[in-house]
Amino acid sequence: MNDFGKFKLIGKSAVNVDAVDKVTGRAVYAADCNERGQLYGSTRYADVAHAEIVSIDVSAAASLPGVRAVLTHSDVPGRKSFGFVVPHQMVLCSDRVRFVGDAVAIVAAETQEAADEAAGLVRVQLNPLPVVSDPEEALSLGASSIHPDGNLCIHHKVRKGDVDLGLSQSDVVLEREYRTQKVEHSYIEPEAVLCRPGENGGVTIVGSVQNLYSIRRAVAGVLALPLNRVRITQATLGGSFGGKDEVMSAICCRAALLSLATGRPVKMVNTRENSMRESYKRHPYVMRYKVGASKEGLLKAMSIDIVADAGAYAGMSPFVTWRSVVQATGPYVVPHVRTDVRAAYTNNCYTGAMRGFGSPQICFAVESLMDELAEAVGKDPLEIRLMNALKRGSVTATGQKLEHNVSVAQALREVAEKGRFLETRKRFEKENAGDGAGRAGRASHGAAPPGAATPHGAAPPDGAGRRKGIGISCSYRGVSLGAEGVDAAGVTVSVQTDGSVVVSTGLVDMGQGASTTVSLVVAEELGVPLDKVRFLPADTSRLPDSGPTVASRTTLMAGNAARKACQELLARMRTAATKPLSFAELAELCFRQGISLYAHGWYKAPSTSWDDEEGHGDAYFTYVYGANLAEVEVDMLTGRVRVTRFVSSHDVGRVINLNGARGQVYGGVAMGLGYALLEEYSEENGIPALGNFDEYLLPTASDVPSVEVAFIENPDELGPHGAKTLGEPACEIAAPAIANAVANATGRRIRDLPLTLERVLLGKSLSRKGVRGSAKARRDS
Ligand code: MOS
C-alpha cells in the first residue's frame, strides 16, 4: 500500500519543531528557571531501608544561618500522602520509613549549600525494622509487613480455556524461569522544579513534569487547595521515558510546601545521586513459564506465574503489571492460558512506569521461550513464530477477537528478509563450527566479502575465539491505556489573523517528539507549512486534563483531537469565503466577520473492557506489532557481546514524521541493548549498590550498531490518518533478539538479564549475588 502522495507533510521527514532551541541552548529546562528572591530546597532522606521513626529533631537545622524553613510531616496542611493508584506514599514520613529514598524533612535556605547542610543536621532517631528485599520472600508467610494490608500490592490474572487439559494434550512441555533486573531511566536531566507562591494563596510550579494533571492532584491534596489554585506548567524536558511521573509528585509537593511556608519561590533540583536514590525504576520480574505444544511446535497451553518487585510503594505497579498479564503469552494463538502476575512490596526503591510499562520483562521471557521451544521441536525460530502468530480474526489470551490487520507475521518476514535470517543463521553455524570461530573476525554481517582483509588483517589473531549469532523477536502491544482507564484527550488550535497557528494540548513533549507530530497533523489538516505552527507546552490552568502522556498514546490521541479541532475550524472558516483566498487572508476575513478562529478538539477512544475476576476482556481498542533482528559477535574468552547488526520493523499504522519515528527506534534499540547487556540497578538489603552513572553501565554510541528501520504501514481506522504507536514497542523486543542471538552464537541460553560477561562466559544464570561487583570488570574489559 502506498498513498504517500496524498499528503504534503505526513510521512516525510520534518525538522523537529524544538530542534533549533535545543541545539542552540535556547530551550528552557526546569533547572534554567529562576525567580528573584528564590530559596533553595533540600531533602533529608531516611537513608535506611526500613525503620520506625522514634523522633525527628530539626532544631540544629533550623538555627543554621540562611535557613528559612525546616518542615516535617506535622507541617503538611492537607493530605499527608499521595499516589495515583494507592495514595499511601508519605510526602514526609511520620512514623515509618520504607526505603532509602523516603523523605523525613525538607529545608529551604538562601543558598543550596546552606539547605544541604541543614538537611544533614536534621536528627532522626530510628528503630530498625527487618528489611524485606526479595519480592517472593515478601509474599511468604511470616514476612515482615511493609504496609498495613500486607505485602501483596496487586494480583492480576488471565484465564482462558483449560490449561491442564492443554498441557495433557501436549507432546512437548517446557518449564523455564526467566529473570529481569531493575533498571534506571537514566534521563539526561534529573528532576527539577521551581515553585512560586501564586495569587489567591495558590502555587505555580514550572518543572520537568511528564504528567502535569496527576501531579497537580497530588500537590493540591497535600496543600489542601482546590485544583484551580495549583498551576503546573511544563518546562522543556530532558527525557523521561515514564520516569518523571510519580516521583515528580514528591519533589513538587516538597517545593510547594516550602514555598507556601516561606512565601517565597523555592527551587529544587535533584542531584544525580538523589535522583537515583528516590526515583522509581523498571520492575525486576521473576517469570515462570510452562508451555505445552504439539510435536510440530503448535502452542497448546501456557501457564505463567510472575512476581514483580513493586518496592516500597504501589506507584504505577498495579497498571504496569496489568499490561504484563494481558500480553504475557506474546503475539501467539494459545488456546489454553493461565497467567498470574503479582507485585509485592519490598523495602527496595519503588518501581513504576518505564518505556514498555510491563512489556520488556515478559517480551524477554516469552521470546526466549519461543526459541527454546523451537529447538525442542526441531524448528527454526522464524518458523515457530510464524506458525503460532496471531492473525486477523485470532482470539488473544484475554479472549479478544482481533478484527484489524494483524501484522506480526508481516513484521517477522520483514526483519527476516532484511537480515537474511535463515541464510545467515546457517552461515554462522558453519563458521562457528571447528576453526571457523577464529574467522568470524571483526567485519560485521558480511560487509566485506569472504576472505577480504579486514582492518585487523585477513586471519586476525584478535578474531580467535569469536562466535557469531543471529536472533529474532516479535511482539504485540495494546495501544494507549486500555481498560486501565478512561481514554480521552484534547487539543486546542488557535488560528491567528496572519494565518499562523498556535497549538496546545494537555499531553506533553518529553523529548519523544510529540510537539512535532501534533504540529504536523495540524499543518497537514489546515494546509499550512509546518513553520506556521507553534506548539505551546502544557499548562494545567489553560488546558483540560487529557490524561497522562504515557502508553505511547500521544500520536493517536492528540492526533485525532487535533484533526477534529482543525476540521471544526475549517468548516467555520469556509462559511466566510466567497472567492479564492490565501489562508492568511481567510483568517483575517473571519476575524473581521466575528467568526471564532479557536477550536478545541476532543477525542474519546473506543471503550475497552476488563473482568478482574474472570481474567478476560477486550483489553485494548487496537494493537501494534513489531519484530527485531540482532546479530552478535561473542568473545568466547571474555564473554563480551558486541551487537553488530540490528533490524527493527514496526507496524505503526502510519508514519507521521519519518525522522522522528526513526529516532524513536534508534533510541528504543539503544535502551533495549543496555537492558540486554549492561544495565542493572542492584540493591543489597534495600541499600543501593551504586550511586551514580560511574557505576551504572549505560550503552554509549560505540556499543550501538547502526540500526536498520523497516516501518510497516497498515493504517488503522482508529488512528489519525491510520497512525498508532511506536515509542514503547521500539524498546521492548531488543533484549530478547540479542539474547537469542547470543544463545545462537554460544549454545548458551541465559535466562537472566543482563547478559553480563560472567553469565555469557559461564553459560549459566548466576544468582544476583554472584554478579555483584562486576560493573568494574565489565567496564574494564
Ligand atoms: Mo510510559 S512507561 O507508559 O510513561
Side-chain angles (χ1 to χ4, degrees), residues 99 188 339 400 466 499:
F99 88 111
I188 296 172
T339 306
Q400 181 172 4
R466 292 223 164 98

Side-chain angles (χ1 to χ4, degrees), residues 261-280:
T262 58
R264 288 172 64 178
V266 173
K267 183 168 176 174
M268 293 188 91
V269 181
N270 269 344
T271 59
R272 179 63 64 184
E273 285 83 358
N274 287 342
S275 172
M276 284 186 115
R277 175 211 305 258
E278 72 162 306
S279 73
Y280 57 81

Side-chain angles (χ1 to χ4, degrees), residues 31-63:
D32 298 327
C33 297
N34 292 294
E35 181 90 5
R36 191 187 294 271
Q38 75 192 16
L39 297 170
Y40 297 83
S42 191
T43 304
R44 170 68 160 90
Y45 293 96
D47 276 335
V48 299
H50 200 194
E52 260 170 25
I53 297 176
V54 179
S55 66
I56 305 168
D57 177 2
V58 303
S59 52
S63 60

Side-chain angles (χ1 to χ4, degrees), residues 210 241-242 353-357 549-552 728:
Q210 179 180 334
F241 312 108
M354 181 174 172
R355 201 175 191 176
F357 206 80
T549 306
V550 295
S552 309
E728 292 170 289

Side-chain angles (χ1 to χ4, degrees), residues 197-236:
E199 309 82 14
N200 296 317
V203 293
T204 299
I205 296 173
V206 57
S208 59
V209 185
Q210 179 180 334
N211 291 319
L212 305 165
Y213 299 88
S214 57
I215 303 306
R216 181 177 63 160
R217 224 167 289 147
V219 173
V222 165
L223 299 184
L225 286 173
L227 291 175
N228 69 353
R229 293 201 193 169
V230 176
R231 180 176 171 201
I232 304 188
T233 65
Q234 200 213 359
T236 300

Side-chain angles (χ1 to χ4, degrees), residues 277-547:
R277 175 211 305 258
E278 72 162 306
S279 73
Y280 57 81
K281 318 280 183 252
R282 182 185 286 155
H283 298 69
Y285 276 27
V286 180
M287 298 167 279
R288 298 194 176 90
Y289 276 67
K290 189 170 180 180
V291 62
S294 73
K295 57 183 185 303
E296 293 80 26
L298 210 58
L299 292 169
K300 299 266 190 198
M302 273 198 208
S303 169
I304 305 166
D305 184 44
I306 295 173
V307 177
D309 186 355
Y313 298 102
M316 283 287 155
S317 290
F319 290 175
V320 169
T321 49
W322 182 74
R323 187 174 282 276
S324 309
V325 88
V326 170
Q327 297 174 182
T329 55
Y332 306 108
V333 179
V334 192
H336 305 285
V337 179
R338 179 175 58 217
T339 306
D340 290 273
V341 182
R342 288 170 297 159
Y345 294 121
T346 63
N347 295 114
N348 297 324
C349 181
Y350 69 127
T351 44
M354 181 174 172
R355 201 175 191 176
F357 206 80
S359 73
Q361 298 93 334
I362 56 104
C363 284
F364 170 66
V366 74
E367 289 305 290
S368 298
L369 182 72
M370 289 306 279
D371 264 35
E372 295 202 58
L373 181 64
E375 207 178 317
V377 299
K379 289 263 164 24
D380 71 65
L382 178 63
E383 196 178 358
I384 196 129
R385 284 176 172 79
L386 289 175
M387 65 191 276
N388 287 293
L390 293 167
K391 45 185 188 289
R392 189 195 284 268
S394 293
V395 176
T396 67
T398 72
Q400 181 172 4
K401 193 170 178 200
L402 300 175
E403 313 271 15
H404 54 269
N405 197 333
V406 176
S407 51
V408 60
Q410 195 184 350
L412 277 166
R413 288 200 180 96
E414 186 77 31
V415 295
E417 223 163 89
K418 285 234 154 48
R420 301 173 58 81
F421 178 67
L422 295 174
E423 304 90 296
T424 309
R425 203 159 172 271
K426 282 213 186 82
R427 179 162 58 84
F428 285 174
E429 255 159 49
K430 223 175 282 164
E431 287 177 9
N432 289 339
D435 71 345
R439 261 189 268 122
R442 277 272 174 90
S444 61
H445 58 87
T454 68
H456 303 274
D462 72 350
R466 292 223 164 98
R467 288 199 195 158
K468 287 181 163 189
I470 188 165
I472 52 170
S473 60
C474 59
S475 69
Y476 81 133
R477 179 181 187 87
V479 173
S480 201
L481 305 174
E484 267 169 43
V486 177
D487 216 344
V491 171
T492 65
V493 179
S494 174
V495 175
Q496 314 300 301
T497 50
D498 63 355
S500 66
V501 182
V502 175
V503 181
S504 41
T505 163
L507 297 174
V508 310
D509 194 316
M510 53 185 125
Q512 87 279 38
S515 52
T516 306
T517 308
V518 176
S519 299
L520 275 168
V521 171
V522 169
E524 182 77 44
E525 207 68 32
L526 296 180
V528 301
L530 183 61
D531 63 8
K532 290 277 185 226
V533 180
R534 180 164 182 221
F535 182 92
L536 289 186
D539 177 335
T540 55
S541 295
R542 294 190 194 279
L543 297 159
D545 190 340
S546 289

